[in-house]
Amino acid sequence: MRVLLVDDHPLVWSGIRRALEALVQAAPALGALEFHAVRSAEEALALAAAPCDLIVLDYHLPGVAGLTALAALREAYDDALVCVISGSADIAIVREVLDHGANGFVPKAYSDEQLGRALAQVVHDRAYIPFEYLLAEQASRSSDGPAGSELQARLAELSSRQHEVLALLRQGLSNKGIARRLDIAEGTVKAHVSAVFRVFGVQSRHQMMCRLLEAGAAGSGGASEFRA
């Protein structure tokens, strides 16, 4: 498993590496760990010719940072999972990064054990949102929204193409990336995404991610039912 860490604080590197080493030891099918760390998004973009399975991206970087860095890396590493880390505990940042294609968000305040569990979920389930943010999202939305088994039923309302689009949304692909993957027009992708959002009663990608994670926790199959 090839991992690229983008963080300008070398002290963070050792903790991330320890968590990843434990992850590949627990899941040999992932292969040997190839770990690379750089201090800026610009350095990461310069390495884009090499394949990458997982990018761990600090939200606050010198130079290109935040959503701009996320968008650039998502475009350059189309098939990679992207997990954003941050010392800020602002729920607005969580919403923004998920809406812009991140597969997960992990607070830097996490212990090594918490970090390892979070990265494992990103790798295995292609999504991770801290539980406290899921609770905040539940509290902030209308009680009229679907939950539990009703969410499972709404999956059955999707067409086969919409299921494909939803699976690629879970991977964090942009509309353009989904269009390339499915060989369809970007406008067609936008129409499918809008239809999926209507079925689930959401208005953004981060809300969609929360609904899927909640449904996965409520269903007998767990979150893995929604893997791509």
Side-chain angles (χ1 to χ4, degrees):
M1 182 174 72
R2 189 174 191 274
V3 179
L4 178 61
L5 170 62
V6 189
D7 192 296
D8 61 323
H9 295 99
L11 289 176
V12 174
W13 297 1
S14 59
I16 298 287
R17 180 162 192 153
R18 284 196 302 271
L20 291 167
E21 287 173 344
L23 173 59
V24 297
Q25 287 175 4
L30 294 174
L33 175 65
E34 295 182 40
F35 180 82
H36 303 272
V38 296
R39 288 180 166 84
S40 69
E42 291 89 340
E43 290 180 79
L45 291 169
L47 299 174
C52 187
D53 300 304
L54 171 66
I55 298 171
V56 181
L57 172 66
D58 184 11
Y59 188 83
H60 300 284
L61 289 169
V64 178
L67 299 180
T68 303
L70 173 59
L73 291 171
R74 172 53 74 197
E75 181 73 18
Y77 294 89
D78 194 28
D79 293 328
L81 298 167
V82 181
C83 181
V84 173
I85 58 175
S86 175
S88 171
D90 188 350
I91 192 172
I93 292 179
V94 182
R95 290 171 175 161
E96 287 177 342
V97 299
L98 293 175
D99 280 341
H100 286 78
N103 296 89
F105 175 91
V106 177
K108 280 189 174 182
Y110 269 13
S111 66
D112 284 359
E113 183 180 357
Q114 290 174 309
L115 175 62
R117 287 199 300 265
L119 291 176
Q121 191 166 332
V122 170
V123 170
H124 294 305
D125 292 335
R126 297 184 175 273
Y128 178 78
I129 302 174
F131 183 65
E132 58 268 30
Y133 294 105
L134 280 176
L135 290 179
E137 186 62 31
Q138 286 177 321
S140 68
R141 71 168 186 257
S142 168
S143 60
D144 294 332
S149 60
E150 186 180 350
L151 281 174
Q152 303 282 355
R154 293 198 178 194
L155 279 172
E157 298 180 27
L158 302 180
S159 68
S160 58
R161 179 63 87 185
Q162 288 165 354
H163 273 286
E164 292 177 326
V165 169
L166 178 57
L168 295 175
L169 281 174
R170 278 295 310 273
Q171 293 183 38
L173 268 66
S174 65
N175 288 345
K176 183 184 294 185
I178 294 172
R180 284 199 298 263
R181 186 71 63 85
L182 298 180
D183 195 23
I184 58 178
E186 188 173 351
T188 303
V189 173
K190 290 179 180 178
H192 284 310
V193 170
S194 295
V196 170
F197 284 2
R198 283 196 300 273
V199 167
F200 281 88
V202 300
Q203 297 180 337
S204 66
R205 290 180 179 229
H206 91 268
Q207 289 180 347
M208 186 76 254
M209 187 80 78
C210 288
R211 294 292 172 85
L212 290 177
L213 288 173
E214 290 165 9
S220 59
S224 60
E225 291 182 43
F226 302 103
R227 292 181 194 171

